[in-house]
Amino acid sequence: TTEIYTLSLHDALPISYYLNGLSAQDEGEYAEALNNYYQALQIEEDLYDRSIILYNIGLIYSKNGDYLKALKYYYFAIFINSRFTSALNNIAVIYHYQGIKAAEKNCYALSESLLQKATFYWTKVVKIDPNSYIEAWNWLKTTRRVKI
């Protein structure tokens, strides 16, 4: 999912980089967006704002199919904010996607391991926000993976 979060207004320079990054990201100029986000990270001190920047970097890597890098930045974001449901959800989405791909290649043990990771993160998401992630909730129920 692609949810946009806004930063608090602590300092004009990191916000300027962040807004330039958002604009470039919206226009599909991912290299420029990443450059701006990395610049913002160099100077942004507010942890909440840093988690949003890290999340947006993860979105770009995910959009470009670089799921390992996307996971890295989503993990950075949840390390700062463990209740960041969009980041948690995106981690689950990546593990789910990879689990389905593994099953298609008859790698069933790997598939199950990845789907268990998706289960772990989607369970966290629906515990934190049970009304916003209906698809995750439905997947957990229909696959009988609910541990809530």
Side-chain angles (χ1 to χ4, degrees):
T1 39
T2 306
E3 290 187 46
I4 301 295
Y5 291 87
T6 58
L7 300 177
S8 54
L9 299 174
H10 293 294
D11 188 2
L13 189 55
I15 288 175
S16 174
Y17 282 122
Y18 173 75
L19 292 176
N20 288 338
L22 266 184
S23 178
Q25 184 175 356
D26 191 46
E27 294 170 7
E29 300 291 336
Y30 298 128
E32 182 181 340
L34 286 173
N35 183 51
N36 279 286
Y37 290 146
Y38 290 136
Q39 291 292 327
L41 277 177
Q42 297 264 333
I43 52 181
E44 180 58 66
E45 295 177 3
D46 182 83
L47 289 178
Y48 177 80
D49 291 352
R50 289 179 66 80
S51 73
I52 292 169
I53 295 165
L54 292 163
Y55 169 79
N56 284 338
I57 292 171
L59 284 177
I60 291 172
Y61 284 120
S62 187
K63 178 91 172 164
N64 288 328
D66 192 342
Y67 300 116
L68 286 177
K69 275 193 179 175
L71 282 172
K72 174 176 132 179
Y73 284 95
Y74 293 144
Y75 278 121
F76 286 156
I78 66 168
F79 180 76
I80 293 170
N81 178 2
S82 63
R83 298 178 62 80
F84 197 159
T85 54
S86 292
L88 291 164
N89 180 64
N90 288 2
I91 291 169
V93 167
I94 290 171
Y95 283 132
H96 179 262
Y97 173 75
Q98 295 298 325
I100 297 301
K101 297 294 256 181
E104 289 170 357
K105 294 178 182 176
N106 298 323
C107 298
Y108 298 113
L110 175 60
S111 174
E112 183 55 30
S113 173
L114 292 164
L115 293 175
Q116 284 177 3
K117 289 180 181 189
T119 299
F120 175 80
Y121 287 100
W122 271 331
T123 301
K124 282 177 158 282
V125 166
V126 299
K127 280 183 178 177
I128 295 167
D129 190 359
N131 298 319
S132 294
Y133 293 90
I134 303 305
E135 287 181 33
W137 181 242
N138 286 338
W139 182 81
L140 289 168
K141 286 194 292 189
T142 59
T143 59
R144 297 188 174 156
R145 293 174 180 268
V146 178
K147 295 180 175 87
I148 298 174

